[in-house]
């Protein structure tokens, strides 16, 4: 079963706008990671946030983590057409060695 | 260049014909994992390995086998493939970073079709 669930399933915006994707999970975690996947290709790591962190930035990416609500959000600012991809959150649960991915958010950025 | 390689990239086979998908990483990572990706289901973990000779089942291990005889290699074996194993498969590796896993590096994927 999936640990993370992304919301929304699909998002379409204009270039220059911000995109926000959310991830909810079920159990206590060690880390939460966000990945990007261009159509049919391997996933690329974007950012990792540890359970004791609340916010992290990397370039145009901002990730927040709320462990009390078991949720995370990924914000992409000033989006570009090249940001068009699917975005996945992944968690490794505390006391468990496996990795769980959500079903992903499909982001389309229109030029 | 740090990378995870998978072979073959594409494979069409028939039901029951044993096959192996190879995975190799050159980053000396302890952790390796196999996932399958199906439309609408995201990635589901098949098997993972914390180190040489240490493997464990993920979410969907039925019909698959793995081995970890060397740190760099983690082959996925389908002893008797069935059509429901038609999928896109990814291998990944990462360091074990204290508590939890670090960034995972993914291979390019193997698209398997079982007829």
């Amino acid at each position: 079963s999936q640990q993370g669930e992304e919301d929304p399933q699909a998002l379409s915006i204009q270039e220059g706008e911000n995109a926000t994707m959310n991830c909810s999970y079920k159990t206590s975690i060690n880390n939460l990671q966000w990945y990007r996947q261009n159509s049919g290709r391997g996933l690329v790591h974007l950012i990792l946030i540890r359970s004791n962190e609340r916010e992290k930035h990397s370039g145009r990416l901002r990730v927040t983590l709320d462990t009390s609500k078991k949720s995370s959000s990924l914000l992409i600012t000033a989006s570009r057409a090249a940001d068009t991809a699917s975005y996945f959150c992944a968690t490794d649960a505390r006391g468990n060695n496996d990795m769980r991915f959500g079903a992903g958010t499909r982001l389309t950025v229109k030029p | 260049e740090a990378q995870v390689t998978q072979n073959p990239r594409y494979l069409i086979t028939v039901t029951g014909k044993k096959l192996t998908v190879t995975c190799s990483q050159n980053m000396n990572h302890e952790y390796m994992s196999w996932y399958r990706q199906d439309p609408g289901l995201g990635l589901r973990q098949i098997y993972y390995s914390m180190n040489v000779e240490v493997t464990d089942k993920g979410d969907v291990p039925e019909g698959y086998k793995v081995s970890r005889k060397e740190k760099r290699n983690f082959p996925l074996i389908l002893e008797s493939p069935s059509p429901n194993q038609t999928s896109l498969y990814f291998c990944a590796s990462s360091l074990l970073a204290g508590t939890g896993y670090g960034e995972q590096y993914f291979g390019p994927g193997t698209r398997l079709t079982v007829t």
Side-chain angles (χ1 to χ4, degrees), chain B residues 17-115:
Chain B
K17 186 177 181 183
K18 181 179 178 180
L19 65 92
T20 299
V21 184
T22 64
C23 173
S24 184
Q25 49 95 4
N26 62 0
M27 296 165 279
N28 203 36
H29 286 168
E30 299 96 343
Y31 177 85
M32 296 187 74
S33 180
W34 275 103
Y35 299 90
R36 62 177 287 173
Q37 184 175 30
D38 302 289
L41 295 178
L43 275 79
R44 292 180 292 167
Q45 193 172 42
I46 303 170
Y47 270 94
Y48 61 95
S49 169
M50 304 287 281
N51 214 325
V52 176
E53 302 292 359
V54 180
T55 63
D56 213 339
K57 296 177 181 178
D59 224 9
V60 287
E62 295 78 20
Y64 304 94
K65 284 176 60 177
V66 293
S67 67
R68 188 93 181 271
K69 294 187 172 63
E70 306 164 284
K71 199 171 188 179
R72 63 182 293 126
N73 296 323
F74 191 45
L76 178 70
I77 302 155
L78 285 72
E79 294 268 0
S80 184
S82 62
N84 65 12
Q85 292 178 298
T86 292
S87 188
L88 179 57
Y89 291 85
F90 290 102
C91 180
S93 72
S94 78
L95 289 170
L96 293 175
T99 302
Y101 299 120
E103 166 187 354
Q104 287 196 76
Y105 290 77
F106 279 80
T110 294
R111 189 167 291 280
L112 173 65
T113 302
V114 183
T115 61

Side-chain angles (χ1 to χ4, degrees), chain A residues 19-33:
Chain A
T20 300
M21 288 158 269
N22 303 298
C23 168
S24 60
Y25 56 91
K26 297 172 185 171
T27 63
S28 296
I29 60 171
N30 294 312
N31 304 315
L32 185 144
Q33 303 182 43

Side-chain angles (χ1 to χ4, degrees), chain A residues 32-34 46-49 54-58 61-65 72-75:
Chain A
L32 185 144
Q33 303 182 43
W34 284 91
L46 294 176
I47 200 164
L48 180 153
I49 186 165
R54 292 297 166 257
E55 188 170 313
K56 210 160 181 181
H57 296 255
S58 178
L61 306 180
R62 172 179 169 250
V63 168
T64 61
L65 179 64
S72 172
S73 67
L74 170 67
L75 168 67

